[in-house]
């Protein structure tokens, strides 16, 4: 069973835990409000943000529409620069390819930088089963690895941890306490990770984008760990979700800008690295071997369907920071990999997760925040329709929607149903207890006539 499979059916139970945990609520509220505020400010400063979003949407749609061609172009260009490409149809093939590369390199220590696709394919477990030590070097991922937990946000994986939590985890590594202050924590983590960068046999990274015309891999990080992981070890392995390819460097310039301003509100992430093959003769640094493992794992079957737009996602996290459900229910409720609105759409497309399309109020805030204009709330509605059509939805829900559709298909049925609803309104609080619990939400009264306000 994959991690994505385990996401199925757990949303309500996990979200309930987060809702009663004041610690998680406080950390989530503060971090998502900060990230959301940064994005809004950066979008305002951008000038014509709508034009930039349109260019991003067009670049991503073009790449997805012609994906097989662009993947072939990428492979040809990357191979011509001395790299090796491996194609993996599913998670098992991806794991096998990467384990084999590490085994051939005689790897004992593997340094990783942040990569959601390696979470998706359970890479760490596979390497550890072969006796290799795997160390996450992104600060958030390192903290979660120490805590034995999974990422809860695609940009800020440890978003639910406070400085006090982090001080406790880092202090336990070497038995030396550390102050819960930003600079002290960073210095401590840097000291602990430095030796890993210097002695790792293989470095593994994900990729924010790949460029077909040049055969380049693009990494965006704020800590510089991506550069160290890709440059210092003798072998570098890139794990690339097949949809992350872009046609041209011009498209990369657009998407790079959108990623920075939408994810964290930065004009650019601190380190934007473009890697085109391994070290060449006469060059002083870079790996001797560079491999790219292109992972399908269900993505190919989304192309050509009405969900194809989801493959345009650039993993900026903006939709998470505005989603009222994510901000209250937390990231763990969506399963261990992709969370928030993008996860609620993507995970059910890759695995069975009937709970997730319901993890939305359909307010549309996610769609408004998405830099590449993915209509997330509409895709969630489509997924709910599929659940009803496939008889996956509970029978009561199916019956309700069937009656509703029947009643509202004629003016007589519409009038009759609204009259009955108004007559039964005094009983509504009995059925809506979960909604009104806590006193923060009520049930508005049905009006006799529609009134334009
Ligand atoms: S769906 Fe849009 S907003 Fe959400 S992570 Fe992807 S690109 Fe960003």
């Amino acid at each position: 069973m994959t991690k994505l499979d385990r996401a199925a059916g757990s949303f309500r139970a996990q979200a309930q835990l987060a809702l009663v945990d004041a610690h998680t609520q406080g950390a989530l509220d503060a971090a998502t409000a900060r990230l959301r505020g940064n994005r809004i400010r950066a979008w305002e400063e951008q000038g014509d943000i709508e034009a930039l979003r349109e260019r991003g949407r067009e670049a991503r749609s073009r790449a997805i529409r012609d994906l097989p061609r662009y993947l072939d172009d990428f492979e040809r260009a990357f191979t011509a620069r001395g790299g090796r490409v491996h194609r993996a149809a599913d998670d098992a093939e991806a794991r096998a390819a990467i384990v084999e590369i590490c085994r051939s390199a005689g790897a004992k220590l593997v340094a990783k930088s942040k990569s959601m696709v390696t979470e998706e394919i359970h890479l760490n477990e596979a390497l550890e089963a072969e006796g290799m030590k795997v160390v996450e070097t992104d600060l958030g991922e390192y903290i979660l690895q120490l805590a034995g937990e999974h990422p809860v946000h695609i940009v800020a994986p440890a978003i639910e941890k406070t400085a006090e939590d982090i001080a406790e985890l880092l202090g336990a590594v070497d038995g030396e306490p550390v102050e819960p202050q930003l600079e002290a924590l960073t210095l401590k983590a840097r000291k602990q990770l430095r030796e890993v960068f210097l002695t790792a046999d293989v470095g593994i990274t994900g990729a924010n984008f790949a460029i077909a015309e040049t055969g380049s891999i693009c990494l965006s990080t704020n800590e510089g760990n991506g550069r160290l992981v890709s440059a210092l070890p003798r072998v570098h392995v890139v794990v690339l979700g097949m949809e992350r390819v872009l046609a041209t460097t011009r498209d990369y310039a657009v998407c790079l800008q959108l990623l920075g301003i939408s994810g964290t509100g930065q004009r650019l992430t601190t380190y934007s690295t473009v890697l085109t093959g391994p070290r060449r003769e006469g060059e002083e640094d870079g790996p001797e071997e560079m491999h790219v493992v292109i992972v399908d794992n269900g993505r190919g079957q989304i192309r050509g369907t009405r969900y194809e737009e989801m493959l345009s996602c650039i993993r900026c996290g903006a939709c998470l920071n505005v989603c009222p459900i994510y901000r209250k229910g937390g990231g763990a409720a969506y399963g261990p990999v992709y969370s928030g609105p993008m996860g609620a759409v993507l995970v059910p497309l890759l695995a069975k997760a009937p709970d997730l399309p319901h993890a939305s109020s359909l307010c549309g805030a996610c769609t408004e925040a998405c830099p590449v204009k993915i209509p997330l709330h509409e895709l969630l509605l489509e997924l709910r329709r599929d659940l009803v059509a496939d008889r996956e939805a509970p029978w009561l829900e199916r019956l309700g929607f069937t009656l509703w559709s029947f009643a509202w298909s004629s003016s007589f049925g519409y009038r009759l149903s609204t009259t009955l609803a108004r007559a039964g309104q005094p009983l509504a609080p009995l059925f809506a207890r979960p909604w009104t619990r806590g006193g923060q939400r009520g049930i508005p009264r049905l009006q006799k006539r529609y009134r334009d306000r």
Side-chain angles (χ1 to χ4, degrees):
M1 191 162 73
T2 68
K3 286 179 177 180
L4 289 176
D5 289 335
R6 286 203 292 274
S10 60
F11 186 86
R12 271 172 197 270
Q14 285 288 340
Q16 295 279 7
L17 293 178
L19 277 170
V20 294
D21 181 349
H23 183 79
T24 299
Q25 291 292 315
L28 259 177
D29 269 346
T32 52
R34 191 177 61 248
L35 288 169
R36 177 177 165 273
N38 289 349
R39 175 186 62 80
I40 291 171
R41 200 167 36 253
W43 277 24
E44 281 167 2
E45 286 168 5
Q46 180 56 38
D48 197 350
I49 181 66
E50 285 313 309
L52 187 66
R53 288 176 78 197
E54 195 47 47
R55 285 173 66 196
R57 190 198 62 75
E58 196 276 324
R60 292 297 294 133
S61 309
R62 185 161 24 88
I64 301 301
R65 222 173 18 245
D66 240 342
L67 193 56
R69 173 161 78 89
Y70 289 126
L71 285 172
D72 287 347
D73 287 353
F74 169 80
E75 179 166 355
R76 212 172 299 117
F78 182 69
T79 309
R81 304 301 292 259
R84 277 201 56 197
V85 171
H86 313 251
R87 304 243 189 167
D90 57 25
D91 56 339
E93 280 189 25
R95 284 193 301 271
I98 300 162
V99 165
E100 188 47 42
I101 296 166
C102 293
R103 214 190 273 138
S104 305
K108 292 190 176 60
L109 177 61
V110 175
K112 275 186 70 215
S113 87
K114 188 163 110 34
S115 154
M116 296 308 283
V117 70
T118 60
E119 290 283 333
E120 178 186 325
I121 64 169
H122 319 204
L123 183 59
N124 288 13
E125 295 90 323
L127 294 172
E128 282 160 5
E130 291 291 320
M132 297 170 216
K133 183 175 179 196
V134 184
V135 180
E136 299 286 350
T137 63
D138 170 87
L139 184 54
E141 293 274 358
Y142 179 55
I143 290 160
L144 292 175
Q145 189 177 33
L146 294 177
E149 295 172 20
H150 294 287
V152 289
H153 190 289
I154 55 175
V155 171
I159 198 170
E160 292 173 10
K161 294 270 181 265
T162 60
E164 286 73 20
D165 299 331
I166 297 165
E168 202 178 316
L169 288 163
L170 294 178
V173 174
D174 48 20
E176 290 172 16
V178 55
E179 285 297 306
Q181 306 298 334
L182 201 56
E183 202 175 331
L185 294 173
T186 313
L187 283 174
K188 181 87 163 174
R190 179 192 278 195
K191 195 170 147 210
Q192 291 174 359
L193 288 172
R194 183 67 33 167
E195 196 58 23
V196 174
F197 291 124
L198 293 173
T199 55
D201 307 293
V202 174
I204 298 181
T205 67
N208 291 88
F209 303 105
I211 305 175
E213 75 174 351
T214 56
S216 304
I217 288 294
C218 313
L219 305 177
S220 295
T221 71
N222 275 322
E223 298 163 19
N225 64 313
R227 285 192 176 174
L228 295 172
V229 166
S230 58
L232 294 182
R234 195 181 70 74
V235 178
H236 175 203
V237 183
V238 180
V239 190
L240 174 73
M242 71 187 281
E243 79 284 18
R244 310 305 294 275
V245 75
L246 290 167
T248 63
T249 39
R250 197 178 280 261
D251 291 340
Y252 170 56
V254 172
C255 291
L256 179 66
Q257 208 178 342
L258 282 171
L259 182 65
I261 60 174
S262 308
T264 51
Q266 293 165 281
R267 283 197 178 161
L268 275 181
T269 44
T270 311
Y271 300 93
S272 301
T273 308
V274 178
L275 303 162
T276 310
R279 182 198 312 184
R280 282 179 284 274
E281 233 180 276
E283 289 182 345
E284 287 189 2
D285 48 27
E288 288 170 25
E289 283 176 38
M290 186 171 172
H291 301 257
V292 173
V293 180
I294 301 177
V295 182
D296 182 323
N297 206 28
R299 291 157 170 79
Q301 70 193 18
I302 302 174
R303 276 189 69 239
T305 72
R306 60 190 190 284
Y307 299 111
E308 184 174 280
E309 281 172 281
M310 195 57 224
L311 295 175
S312 295
C313 175
I314 60 170
R315 308 285 193 273
C316 70
C319 56
L320 282 67
N321 304 326
V322 296
C323 175
I325 307 297
Y326 175 85
R327 294 184 67 182
K328 285 288 150 200
Y334 297 81
V337 189
Y338 305 109
S339 53
M342 64 77 62
V345 177
L346 186 62
V347 174
L349 295 174
L350 299 177
K352 195 172 163 65
D355 267 15
L356 294 188
H358 295 279
S360 169
S361 64
L362 301 179
C363 63
C366 48
T367 301
E368 273 177 30
C370 179
V372 288
K373 300 190 170 184
I374 300 172
L376 290 156
H377 70 294
E378 287 172 20
L379 297 183
L380 285 165
L381 259 180
E382 289 285 338
L383 284 167
R384 290 186 193 182
R385 274 194 202 107
D386 287 354
L387 287 173
V388 172
D390 298 345
R391 306 180 77 79
E392 290 272 2
W395 72 267
L396 199 59
E397 186 182 327
R398 279 187 277 130
L399 177 68
F401 278 104
T402 307
L403 291 175
W404 185 17
S405 153
F406 180 70
W408 285 26
S409 298
S410 69
S411 56
F412 170 75
Y414 174 79
R415 282 199 207 95
L416 180 66
S417 67
T418 50
T419 305
L420 288 175
R422 271 199 305 279
Q425 190 146 278
L427 300 175
L430 289 179
F431 298 101
R433 274 205 197 113
W435 175 256
T436 54
R437 196 181 294 140
Q440 289 172 350
R441 294 179 298 208
I443 308 175
R445 284 196 64 76
L446 287 173
Q447 300 294 330
K448 268 193 175 164
R449 293 181 65 84
Y450 171 71
R451 279 187 304 198
D452 203 0
R453 278 182 291 163

